[in-house]
Each structure stands twice: as C-alpha cells, then as structure tokens.
Amino acid sequence: MEEIKITRAPTLKPKPDSSKLVFGKNMTDHMFIVDYDAGQGWHDPRIVPYGPLQIDPAAKVLHYAEEIFEGLKAYRTAQGKIQLFRPRDNIARLNNSAARLCLPQIPEELALAGITGLVKLERDWVPSEEGTSLYIRPFMIGLDAALGVHSSKHVQYIVVVCPVGAYYPEGLAPVKIYVEDEDVRAVKGGTGMAKTGGNYAASLRAGDRAEKQGYSQVLWLDGVHRKYIEEVGAMNVMFKVGGTILTPDLNGSVLDGITRRSCIQLLQDWGYEVEQRRISYEELFQAAGDGTLEEAWGTGTAAVVSPIGELAMGGKKVTVSHNQIGPVTQKLYDNLTGIQWGRLADPHHWVMPLD
Ligand code: PLP
Ligand code: COI
C-alpha cells in the first residue's frame, strides 16, 4: 500500500465542550482522501486539512446520488487508550454498498488505514466524557463530470470525523416513533440494503412530518405490502414480545446493522430466543393491546441502543414499557457500551485497539 502523505493544518480549531456536543456538527482539523481512477486503481492516499471539496458542478454525485457511506466510532477507554468497534464489518458493508452502486471495491487495508491514520492524528479530539465518542464517517463519491447516467471512472474515498454525544437529544430516555403509512423507504431489488445517500433523501419528507408531530423518527413498513416492519431512519428495531426477541429479517431492503448483529449475539449469549422474521404492524399493535409487547428498542452506531417508549400510526398510539427503559434494553445498552468503552470483557473480539 502507498504511504499516506500527511499535510498538517496550519492552525488547530478549539475543541468543543464535550458536554454540549450536537451530533455531527464539530468536524476536526483534518480529513483523509484517496483517489480512484479506472485503469490506475486507488492512488495518492493523503491526510489534509479539513475543508471544502472542489467538485465539478457536473459531478455524478451531485446529480445522481452516486454516493455510499459508513458510520463507526472511536472510543476512549478509562486508561486513555483509543479503540474502534468492528471496523472491518463496516468496510465489508461499504464494499457491498459499492457493488450495488457500481462504485469500485476498496481494499480493506486501505479503507482501514484511512480511518486509523486519521483517528491517530486526531486523537486529542476523541472525548473522554461518559457517553461520548469520535464518530467516523467514511464515504465514497462518483466524480465524473458529465451528465450522462453512467457509473464514474473517477471516484474518491474520504473519511471525516467529529466528536459526538447522544444522537437523540433525549439521550437514553425513550423516543417516540411514528409508523409511516404513506411514504416507503426501500423495496427489494432497490438500494435499501446499501448505505447510500438516496435512501436518506427519500426519507426526509416522512421524517419532517413525524418531527412536526413530536416524533423522533419514523418506522418504515415494507414497500410492497405496506404491512411488515422494516427499520427506523437510522436504526434497526427489536421487540420483546412474550419473552421472545423479534426483529425483522434481512430481506434485501433493510440495512444489515452492525449494532443489530452485535445485539443478536449478546441476546443469544444470554439465552434469549431471537426470531428474525417478517413482523406485521398488526402483530405489533395486537401484542401491545394484549400486554405481551414488553419492550421495543432501536440499534445503531449513532443511536447505540435506544428505547422506544411510544409507537403511533394513523390515529392509534401505544405506550411501550410504561415509557420507561426496559430491563433487556438497559442490559443491552450497558453490555454493548461496556465492551465499546473497554469496561467489560470482549468475548467476541469486536474491539480493535488503536494503540
Ligand atoms: N438502519 C439504517 C437505515 C441506518 O442508517 C443505520 C445506521 O447506520 C442502521 C440501521 C444501524 O446500522 P449500524 O448498527 O451498523 O450502525
Ligand atoms: C450511524 O448510525 O452510523 C448512521 O449512519 C446513522 C446516520 C444516518 C445518522
């Protein structure tokens, strides 16, 4: 692999107060960039001062959303060391998204070197306050400057990072979720299983509508039957119904969440039965009605494990777990964050120490 060339920023920004971080707003001093050109492959990996990109106005990414991204975090342990959580899983998923979007595959070691090189340089930005971390956003964009609808031959993979606290202003308090019955996010054969900007653009209208009514995010239903639960805007979902854990299966339109994967493993370690299958909204509201819907939560890198306290759809509203965090949700949160911040043993070797 070519050596990463580092150009340091001439002046460094003041670090923000870690108790007042707004998700995704405080970008650090540097970023990683590597170019790809068909025929040449990946070249010129570099870390440069953080700043605006110069992009041709005809670049495909600006018109046809030729873009994919990832999200992972660097955590500071009580001993002051820094560690990543399952970064190779993110890179594998990035390459799956790349295959769907006709973007080039990036070698795992190059994608990872961009992340670790940048985080090491920005190590003073990794906050140490309880519940905070450095959010890492790798992304890939198609840059060919021509308006024909074709895949790009010139592409960049870029990594930016920012210190973050809780994703939801509520913190670990239960969030209210609206079951979206009008717009759909994805269909099988579409791009739902890829982490690509267009999916999120398509979600904005429903998200705005839900927010105006006091809901944090929407819960998407499948695009064909408009009946089966898929996922929340930035999280996969799980339900505890009559002692069993239910979560939608990966049917091609749901993102294969790394937090989802980790939670399923932990739940199985603890002896829970986890059913990955189709779950209709009727089944869910029925379970709420007969008192067997015991807990509901979302899982995601940004949101971690986030309790759901209320589900609403049309005129119907149900409260889950008395709008309190339930015991399984709390145990998952404690164990997952315990592993991520290095407070607990890591039996599945998910953590990658940086130093
Ligand atoms: N689903 C969607 C649509 C997301 O954007 C995310 C966030 O990355 C997730 C699920 C959770 O995935 P992960 O746990 O890998 O962060
Ligand atoms: C993440 O959890 O990393 C995400 O990508 C969610 C994001 C859409 C805010």
Side-chain angles (χ1 to χ4, degrees):
M1 204 192 85
E2 247 181 287
E3 199 182 324
I4 299 174
K5 191 172 159 223
I6 299 177
T7 308
R8 285 178 187 266
T11 54
L12 301 182
K13 301 171 190 167
K15 309 279 185 297
D17 177 348
S18 334
S19 64
K20 298 195 184 103
L21 294 168
V22 177
F23 183 85
K25 279 221 165 164
N26 302 93
M27 307 316 290
T28 65
D29 296 306
H30 300 89
M31 58 188 179
F32 173 84
I33 304 182
V34 60
D35 284 282
Y36 171 91
D37 284 281
Q40 187 180 0
W42 293 97
H43 62 93
D44 290 316
R46 57 202 184 270
I47 291 175
V48 295
Y50 184 92
L53 302 172
Q54 258 214 341
I55 292 185
D56 191 291
K60 308 269 191 217
V61 61
L62 299 178
H63 302 270
Y64 308 127
E66 198 184 10
E67 188 266 1
I68 55 173
F69 69 96
E70 272 303 322
L72 66 160
K73 284 174 172 172
Y75 305 86
R76 191 180 285 284
T77 69
Q79 293 72 38
K81 299 215 178 297
I82 295 170
Q83 52 192 33
L84 305 178
F85 186 73
R86 307 187 77 169
R88 291 181 192 276
D89 291 40
N90 289 91
I91 294 165
R93 188 171 64 186
L94 182 80
N95 276 326
N96 285 340
S97 302
R100 180 64 185 84
L101 273 280
C102 285
L103 283 160
Q105 296 289 298
I106 183 163
E108 185 186 64
E109 290 315 316
L110 173 59
L112 189 59
I115 293 169
T116 55
L118 183 62
V119 174
K120 280 182 185 167
L121 186 70
E122 303 290 53
R123 58 174 306 123
D124 291 349
W125 282 87
V126 184
S128 52
E129 190 138 324
E130 175 82 27
T132 62
S133 54
L134 188 76
Y135 186 74
I136 304 167
R137 171 54 61 89
F139 60 105
M140 198 188 285
I141 49 180
L143 289 169
D144 280 13
L147 295 182
V149 183
H150 305 287
S151 57
S152 286
K153 294 185 168 37
H154 177 52
V155 168
Q156 283 185 333
Y157 167 77
I158 304 174
V159 186
V160 296
V161 295
C162 54
V164 295
Y167 182 66
Y168 296 112
E170 293 92 327
L172 195 55
V175 291
K176 290 164 69 172
I177 300 288
Y178 190 81
V179 184
E180 174 61 27
D181 48 4
E182 215 175 303
D183 291 354
V184 296
R185 174 187 175 274
V187 290
K188 225 172 278 184
T191 56
M193 41 59 76
K195 209 158 161 58
T196 180
N199 292 340
Y200 298 79
S203 79
L204 293 175
R205 182 169 72 173
D208 276 4
R209 263 195 314 248
E211 225 167 88
K212 280 196 190 101
Q213 296 176 61
Y215 293 91
S216 300
Q217 282 199 353
V218 303
L219 177 54
W220 297 103
L221 297 177
D222 77 281
V224 177
H225 310 279
R226 310 285 192 102
K227 183 175 160 158
Y228 299 105
I229 305 288
E230 298 234 303
E231 61 188 319
V232 178
M235 317 188 283
N236 295 107
V237 274
M238 298 186 176
F239 306 96
K240 181 162 173 267
V241 178
T244 298
I245 313 297
L246 307 183
T247 192
D249 54 344
L250 300 176
N251 59 2
S253 55
V254 171
L255 192 76
D256 180 359
I258 292 158
T259 322
R260 173 186 184 276
R261 232 180 262 174
S262 310
C263 287
I264 290 173
Q265 182 66 61
L266 290 175
L267 289 160
Q268 288 171 340
D269 290 351
W270 302 332
Y272 283 102
E273 196 184 325
V274 183
E275 289 181 13
Q276 300 181 53
R277 63 165 172 84
R278 290 210 299 201
I279 306 158
S280 69
Y281 70 82
E282 289 121 328
E283 177 181 352
L284 212 56
F285 279 95
Q286 168 91 41
D290 66 24
T292 53
L293 176 59
E294 293 152 356
E295 294 182 48
W297 64 89
T299 66
T301 299
V304 196
V305 173
S306 182
I308 297 172
E310 182 181 314
L311 283 168
M313 182 176 178
K316 251 187 284 177
K317 248 186 216 178
V318 294
T319 301
V320 189
S321 190
H322 309 288
N323 204 24
Q324 304 287 321
I325 182 164
V328 175
T329 314
Q330 182 77 54
K331 187 172 174 185
L332 270 176
Y333 179 85
D334 291 344
N335 279 268
L336 188 67
T337 56
I339 295 169
Q340 290 169 334
W341 271 276
R343 292 188 296 264
L344 294 179
D346 174 27
H348 299 289
H349 309 290
W350 288 335
V351 158
M352 176 187 283
L354 263 201
D355 37 21

